[in-house]
Amino acid sequence: MNIEIEDILNKINEILVEEFEVDGDVIAADKNLKETLDLDSLDYVDLVVIIESNFGVKLVESDFADVVSFQDFYNLIEKKILAKQD
């Protein structure tokens, strides 16, 4: 299963807009993920479940240690998808 990076980003943004009811215009690669989406710990759990079910990857708490921006989050998901393909 070969997924284009742009498709991954579009799907992630679509999920964020639908699930967290944010305006797609506020999502930008360099913005702070937690602040922009106003995420609390339960929201993170929801986010993990949604991403895992949509992309077939496994996320653990430590994966989020370096995630600050949307770009960090995109990179994390991309890395997980590519690792799964190997």
Side-chain angles (χ1 to χ4, degrees):
M1 180 171 93
N2 243 345
I3 301 177
E4 292 293 322
I5 301 309
E6 190 173 322
D7 293 337
I8 294 170
L9 301 185
N10 290 336
K11 181 67 176 173
I12 292 171
N13 288 347
E14 184 181 304
I15 290 168
L16 295 175
V17 168
E18 286 177 18
E19 298 295 329
F20 297 97
E21 300 174 357
V22 295
D23 186 342
D25 294 337
V26 302
I27 297 174
D30 62 338
K31 285 197 173 178
N32 184 296
L33 178 78
K34 184 177 181 179
E35 290 175 5
T36 303
L37 298 181
D38 193 24
L39 298 177
D40 62 22
S41 56
L42 272 178
D43 291 329
Y44 268 112
V45 172
D46 289 343
L47 179 59
V48 166
V49 170
I50 293 164
I51 293 298
E52 287 180 345
S53 66
N54 275 276
F55 293 103
V57 296
K58 185 77 179 141
L59 297 172
V60 294
E61 187 177 344
S62 60
D63 290 332
F64 288 90
D66 297 327
V67 173
V68 176
S69 68
F70 283 92
Q71 188 62 55
D72 296 335
F73 186 62
Y74 299 149
N75 294 344
L76 168 64
I77 305 306
E78 177 188 349
K79 185 175 90 179
K80 291 285 188 173
I81 290 170
L82 292 174
K84 189 181 80 167
Q85 291 177 354
D86 290 342

